[in-house]
Amino acid sequence: MESAADTSPATAPSPSDAPQSPKVAEIRDLILAKLRYAVGKNVASASKHDWFIATALSVRDKVVDSWFSSIVRAKASGVKRVYYLSLEFLIGRLLIDALTNMQLIDETRAALAELGVDLDDLREVEPDAALGNGGLGRLAACFMESMATLSIAAYGYGIRYDHGLFRQRIKDGKQLEYPEDWLSLGDPWEFQRPEIVYGVGFGGHIEAQASPDGEPKQVWMPAETVQAIAYDTPIAGWRGAHINTLRLWAARAPDPLRLDMFNSGDHVGALMDRVRAESISKVLYPGDTSPAGQELRLRQEYFFASASIQDLVRRHLSLFGDIRTLADKASIQLNDTHPAIGVAELMHVLVDRHDVPWDEAWTITRNTFSYTNHTLLPEALETWPAPLMERLLPRHMQIIYLINAIHLDRMAKSGGGVAEKLAALSLIDEAHGRRVRMGHLAFLGSHKVNGVSALHSELMKTTVFHDLDAADPGKIVNKTNGVTFRRWLKEANPALTSLLMEVVGDGLLDDATALKKIEPLADDASFQERYAAVKRANKVALARLVQERVGVKLNPDALFDVQIKRIHEYKRQILNILETVAIYEEIRTQPYRDWIPRVKIFAGKAAASYATAKLVIQLANDVGRVVNSDPTVRGLLKCVFLPNYNVSLAERIIPAADLSEQISTAGMEASGTGNMKLALNGALTIGTLDGANVEILEHVGPDNIFIFGLAADEVAARRAQSISGQEAIARSQRLSDALEAIGSGVFSPEQPDRYRSLVDALTYHDFFLVTADFDSYYAKQRDVFRRWRDKKGWRRSTIINTANMGWFSSDRTIGEYAVEIWNVPTTAPGRA
């Protein structure tokens, strides 16, 4: 590819003799103009990436027109704005998304075809924005699309990571982490805003200065200031009627280098301040096993929370003038605990910069913030060492201590003065050294706290926020997660969408509940055949991708059994692997049985410092290596691990899945959204009564889902008795044999003891109750086999799953947030 502009005349392929649509011709000419004047190439020298940039810029122009109109309408109406703070936004590729929502995809495909370019090729050229890890970040992206679709004036705020989450490679079965290079060739969707810069302070000291009313005023004097520079990406809602802004912050040093040090010959040292500042926006979730790693994570969280609050306060003042009306005109949603420091930051801004009295400032803060909790895992509810926060954010620690003192004083006076209870209610955990409980801070500083599934919201009241809920009953509400079905159905599975729209009509993309209209066709033989044909075509496409990427040939008529999600012990990929091993052994020893062909498909990343999760990845790969190469299996079982799981890979796997593995330990998965996407695309769920599986069961009915294992209350009771797996292993010969095979080196002959630690943990310290649930899981998988053999029954269940997933639209979820938490108006999807 040429790096400089080619000065020869730009000549397009001759148009066909067929009559052209004026819109197609307009798009074609705009793409050519972008190619020439923005990319600096002509047709003869343009690469696929050049065509992608030109096409993206042409679409962005259309988005911008609607974007500006949306901004003007919001300003004119004085409408309340929503500010969604999230450390992750897993937005994925945006070309097809923007074309779909702007309703330009067919015309753009035709315009590119006239130029000899295939739109699907450009789709593959676009990198995935590496701005998230998994469900948390993808949910934020779905919510941004739905907020725009419902015409809610909203901003998303996060970090513009240079490299984001790592790029995963698998070598010798092991996960290796490499920097993601999604920005290496630029991002055509974003607008840099160099004029929008905020200083974010760290360290330093506090000076008490006299104020006019005689009370001392606390003035923070930071030792270090980092600049936050804004980058805006417009996010289009359905039909392009409303466009919102995703504003991401990049960290920069105020000075690019220390010139005195550079001139003295210390060329590396002269850049150290710049390196330290810019490290804040380099990668998502830097390792936190070292003190330096912990500090960097805290710096990231405060950096984006501070910049975002400074920005929204500036906007509020420019529009409405009075800081005291902030809660009437702004609603700040904290997406999990990462932005919780924003509570202290807003108090700092109100009290220190705008001289709002403390009690009034606290009322404004609580009425402005709301908080979404995404986990019941205590370790995921962030706590920070108090000495670290005192050193890095001394004024904020003063504020936190004062919030805590007032809070505990109120609790003591209300009759809750028992020391143990006050310790549980405190923002400061003193059990293992003083640590600041950020979940408590988010809870206290918000007017509403929500879980993300019915079960999760109830468990919050009895587990992580038991004492706070008792002290402030009614604050916890439920908002079951949802997914943007336009992306996960129309964009990911266009053939199925076309079939569904024949029955439902165009209104399907405005209202997902219209899917219910296909339920009467669940027993229709013709519709079943057409539905099954779409699924098989998707499986053929996925099989082709698997062979290209990992060299394993798949049978598209086999059952595609899929578990795609972050690798974590509570998500229990190990349970799936154990069943794979058990089936492998039985196929070899009982070849006379009528086995059905099955493919186990895994994908997901383990945190770089999470040794056990990385060992699970290696085990999945080792099991696949042995199983896939064993001729005695006769192709009846395959096991593949697809590396570098991201949004684009999910869009390829989900439409091809037959069985969706949602097998977390009951009571530990807050909601899940992969379960919704897979069921929407006709995969049947095998899962525990956990997260949104409970509500999926309610919607699809018990005959169309495979539920197994201990329920959440039974998990708690079992743990209270013992977390040893010895008894369960002794009862189950299959489980014992599978563990023995793994532990003795059947799948790792070059290192027989490689998985001994995994086996020992399951045997003696099985906190996630894998062994307790194994027999139930194995038996339910046999129910899956029996249903699979009944083709009509299986197809009926897949159609019923798709028909009943409309309720799980993120449009419904955001509509509930708007009415019950944010108090903002909405417009029905598809209406101007």
Side-chain angles (χ1 to χ4, degrees):
M1 185 181 73
E2 296 179 18
S3 60
D6 190 316
T7 56
S8 58
T11 56
S14 299
S16 70
D17 294 332
Q20 293 179 333
S21 158
K23 196 170 187 179
V24 170
E26 176 194 344
I27 292 171
R28 182 202 64 208
D29 292 345
L30 182 56
I31 292 172
L32 285 171
K34 293 296 181 185
L35 183 68
R36 183 178 182 87
Y37 297 111
V39 180
K41 292 290 187 69
N42 68 12
V43 170
S45 63
S47 67
K48 286 182 181 179
H49 187 267
D50 296 329
W51 282 114
F52 158 66
I53 295 293
T55 304
L57 292 175
S58 72
V59 180
R60 192 180 74 168
D61 283 359
K62 302 290 186 183
V63 172
V64 166
D65 289 338
S66 184
W67 191 23
F68 289 170
S69 298
S70 301
I71 292 170
V72 169
R73 285 197 304 272
K75 285 185 176 180
S77 66
V79 69
K80 186 177 185 180
R81 287 166 170 77
V82 172
Y83 298 102
Y84 197 83
L85 272 61
S86 178
L87 201 61
E88 301 182 37
F89 284 95
L90 199 56
I91 56 177
R93 293 167 171 168
L94 290 180
L95 177 59
I96 300 300
D97 198 56
L99 285 171
T100 298
N101 280 349
M102 297 302 292
Q103 297 188 287
L104 294 170
I105 193 163
D106 293 334
E107 294 87 348
T108 302
R109 187 182 297 278
L112 286 167
E114 290 183 8
L115 298 168
V117 179
D118 187 339
L119 177 59
D120 291 331
D121 288 343
L122 304 191
R123 180 181 192 168
E124 295 303 314
V125 167
E126 181 176 9
D128 271 57
L131 300 170
N133 179 22
L136 178 80
R138 185 54 230 171
L139 181 77
C142 285
F143 278 6
M144 286 299 297
E145 195 268 4
S146 283
M147 282 188 274
T149 292
L150 297 180
S151 297
I152 296 171
Y155 279 76
Y157 281 119
I159 296 179
R160 182 183 180 267
Y161 302 102
D162 291 346
H163 302 290
L165 193 68
F166 61 85
R167 176 167 47 91
Q168 181 193 57
R169 286 183 57 195
I170 303 296
K171 184 178 181 181
D172 299 327
K174 299 179 182 179
Q175 170 180 290
L176 301 178
E177 302 93 24
Y178 294 86
E180 183 58 80
D181 57 355
W182 74 284
L183 283 173
S184 61
L185 297 175
D187 179 7
W189 302 107
E190 70 180 10
F191 292 86
Q192 184 180 5
R193 306 298 194 193
E195 75 283 5
I196 300 178
V197 181
Y198 297 99
V200 178
F202 295 99
H205 64 282
I206 302 161
E207 292 183 0
Q209 299 180 359
S211 61
D213 61 4
E215 291 293 327
K217 181 181 176 66
Q218 305 298 318
V219 179
W220 180 26
M221 312 294 287
E224 174 192 5
T225 300
V226 175
Q227 291 183 338
I229 301 175
Y231 288 78
D232 289 351
T233 298
I235 303 296
W238 173 234
R239 299 189 191 277
H242 187 89
I243 314 292
N244 280 326
T245 304
L246 174 60
R247 175 160 287 179
L248 302 175
W249 302 105
R252 297 291 182 267
D255 297 311
L257 80 166
R258 288 279 305 275
L259 193 58
D260 56 337
M261 294 177 69
F262 191 89
N263 287 334
S264 69
D266 188 359
H267 304 142
V268 174
L271 297 172
M272 290 306 293
D273 288 347
R274 178 179 176 181
V275 170
R276 175 175 167 80
E278 294 183 2
S279 66
I280 291 174
S281 57
K282 283 295 180 188
V283 300
L284 170 66
Y285 298 138
D288 61 353
T289 55
S290 68
Q294 290 184 31
E295 178 174 332
L296 179 54
R297 285 208 184 187
L298 179 56
R299 283 165 64 87
Q300 283 186 329
E301 294 179 7
Y302 177 65
F303 166 80
F304 103 89
S306 174
S308 303
I309 287 172
Q310 290 183 69
D311 190 53
L312 69 89
V313 166
R314 173 200 57 80
R315 184 177 300 107
H316 174 80
L317 291 174
S318 69
L319 292 171
F320 306 110
D322 185 358
I323 192 67
R324 288 172 167 79
T325 63
L326 182 67
D328 300 324
K329 294 297 183 180
S331 186
I332 304 174
Q333 187 72 35
L334 302 175
N335 189 31
D336 214 9
T337 317
H338 309 116
I341 191 63
V343 172
E345 173 68 3
L346 183 56
M347 286 295 291
H348 164 58
V349 169
L350 292 171
V351 173
D352 297 348
R353 298 184 182 176
H354 294 277
D355 298 320
V356 179
W358 178 272
D359 289 345
E360 186 179 359
W362 184 239
T363 299
I364 293 170
T365 296
R366 282 170 54 94
N367 289 338
T368 302
F369 278 104
S370 46
Y371 161 51
T372 301
N373 172 271
H374 283 277
T375 184
L376 299 174
L377 294 172
E379 66 268 23
L381 281 175
E382 288 181 315
T383 64
W384 294 111
L388 170 63
M389 290 195 67
E390 288 170 348
R391 174 170 57 82
L392 208 62
L393 301 170
R395 176 55 180 151
H396 295 74
M397 275 305 294
Q398 274 191 343
I399 291 169
I400 288 169
Y401 279 132
L402 184 52
I403 292 171
N404 196 44
I406 296 171
H407 160 61
L408 293 181
D409 184 56
R410 182 169 62 88
M411 291 296 100
K413 290 178 179 177
S414 66
V418 178
E420 292 80 3
K421 184 173 182 180
L422 292 178
L425 289 167
S426 176
L427 292 180
I428 311 300
D429 181 2
E430 298 185 77
H432 304 94
R434 286 183 302 120
R435 300 183 69 92
V436 182
R437 293 166 164 155
M438 303 307 288
H440 280 44
L441 178 61
F443 190 104
L444 288 179
S446 299
H447 67 282
K448 289 292 182 184
V449 176
N450 72 278
V452 289
S453 71
L455 176 63
H456 171 234
S457 296
E458 288 305 309
L459 288 173
M460 283 168 59
K461 299 175 185 178
T462 59
T463 57
V464 290
F465 293 130
H466 170 71
D467 296 290
L468 287 169
D469 177 66
D472 196 355
K475 180 179 281 193
I476 295 177
V477 296
N478 179 58
K479 295 289 167 280
T480 298
N481 282 343
V483 301
T484 175
F485 61 97
R486 287 167 290 271
R487 181 164 202 142
W488 294 105
L489 191 62
K490 180 173 173 57
E491 295 173 33
N493 202 345
L496 180 58
T497 306
S498 296
L499 175 61
L500 299 175
M501 288 177 69
E502 288 183 25
V503 178
V504 174
D506 292 345
L508 168 62
L509 299 177
D510 295 317
D511 180 7
T513 60
L515 284 167
K516 193 74 173 173
K517 294 178 182 178
I518 72 165
E519 191 164 19
L521 296 176
D523 291 305
D524 184 278
S526 174
F527 189 77
Q528 281 192 3
E529 289 289 342
R530 297 177 68 194
Y531 192 107
V534 171
K535 175 68 74 173
R536 191 181 190 283
N538 291 332
K539 292 171 72 173
V540 169
L542 179 60
R544 189 181 308 119
L545 180 143
V546 168
Q547 188 155 19
E548 290 171 357
R549 296 197 180 180
V550 297
V552 178
K553 186 176 182 180
L554 303 184
N555 173 11
D557 293 315
L559 171 67
F560 280 21
D561 182 344
V562 169
Q563 189 171 18
I564 46 174
K565 53 183 75 242
R566 180 166 53 95
I567 309 298
H568 197 288
E569 287 171 274
Y570 89 82
K571 295 178 184 288
R572 300 202 297 189
Q573 284 89 356
I574 189 67
L575 178 59
N576 193 350
I577 296 170
L578 283 168
E579 197 257 350
T580 306
V581 171
I583 290 295
Y584 169 62
E585 298 289 356
E586 292 184 9
I587 289 174
R588 293 199 302 167
T589 58
Q590 304 172 41
Y592 49 84
R593 287 175 57 183
D594 184 20
W595 299 101
I596 66 167
R598 183 163 62 148
V599 178
K600 292 274 195 175
I601 298 173
F602 296 89
K605 296 178 180 179
S609 58
Y610 194 170
T612 301
K614 294 173 81 169
L615 198 58
V616 169
I617 289 176
Q618 189 172 8
L619 176 60
N621 280 283
D622 278 348
V623 169
R625 175 173 51 82
V626 172
V627 169
N628 299 339
S629 61
D630 189 337
T632 66
V633 176
R634 295 161 290 143
L636 292 170
L637 179 64
K638 294 287 180 74
C639 179
V640 297
F641 187 97
L642 287 169
N644 205 39
Y645 183 57
N646 56 20
V647 176
S648 299
L649 185 55
E651 290 171 343
R652 304 289 291 275
I653 297 173
I654 287 171
D658 294 309
L659 188 68
S660 164
E661 298 268 358
Q662 309 298 330
I663 59 176
S664 53
T665 310
M668 304 201 73
E669 183 73 83
S671 170
T673 52
N675 48 5
M676 303 169 191
K677 298 163 195 168
L678 284 152
L680 175 66
N681 282 271
L684 305 191
T685 301
I686 182 169
T688 51
L689 282 173
D690 197 26
N693 288 354
V694 177
E695 286 147 296
I696 292 175
L697 168 64
E698 293 171 358
H699 281 79
V700 305
D703 293 337
N704 304 297
I705 190 171
F706 302 98
I707 297 297
F708 74 93
L710 300 171
D713 57 343
E714 294 170 325
V715 166
R718 178 65 65 90
R719 282 179 177 155
Q721 294 174 356
S722 172
I723 57 171
S724 169
Q726 290 172 285
E727 183 180 338
I729 294 168
R731 284 199 313 265
S732 174
Q733 190 62 49
R734 283 192 185 92
L735 175 58
S736 177
D737 290 347
L739 288 169
E740 175 60 25
I742 292 169
S744 65
V746 169
F747 303 99
S748 56
E750 68 281 9
Q751 186 185 350
D753 62 347
R754 178 180 295 161
Y755 301 112
R756 178 48 58 187
S757 62
L758 276 180
V759 172
D760 287 347
L762 293 173
T763 303
Y764 304 111
H765 196 269
D766 186 14
F767 181 77
F768 300 100
L769 301 181
V770 173
T771 57
D773 274 351
F774 176 82
D775 280 350
S776 177
Y777 175 64
Y778 183 91
K780 193 57 64 173
Q781 283 281 11
R782 308 293 71 76
D783 290 346
V784 171
F785 278 34
R786 284 186 283 272
R787 182 73 62 83
W788 179 256
R789 288 192 176 96
D790 174 12
K791 291 302 180 188
K792 289 184 178 180
W794 185 276
R795 291 170 182 174
R796 180 181 189 275
S797 291
T798 63
I799 293 167
I800 288 174
N801 267 261
T802 297
N804 287 280
M805 283 301 108
W807 186 82
F808 294 94
S809 164
S810 53
D811 292 350
R812 185 268 313 158
T813 311
I814 288 299
E816 292 179 2
Y817 274 98
V819 172
E820 299 170 26
I821 294 180
W822 300 333
N823 190 27
V824 296
T826 67
T827 301
R831 297 178 185 171

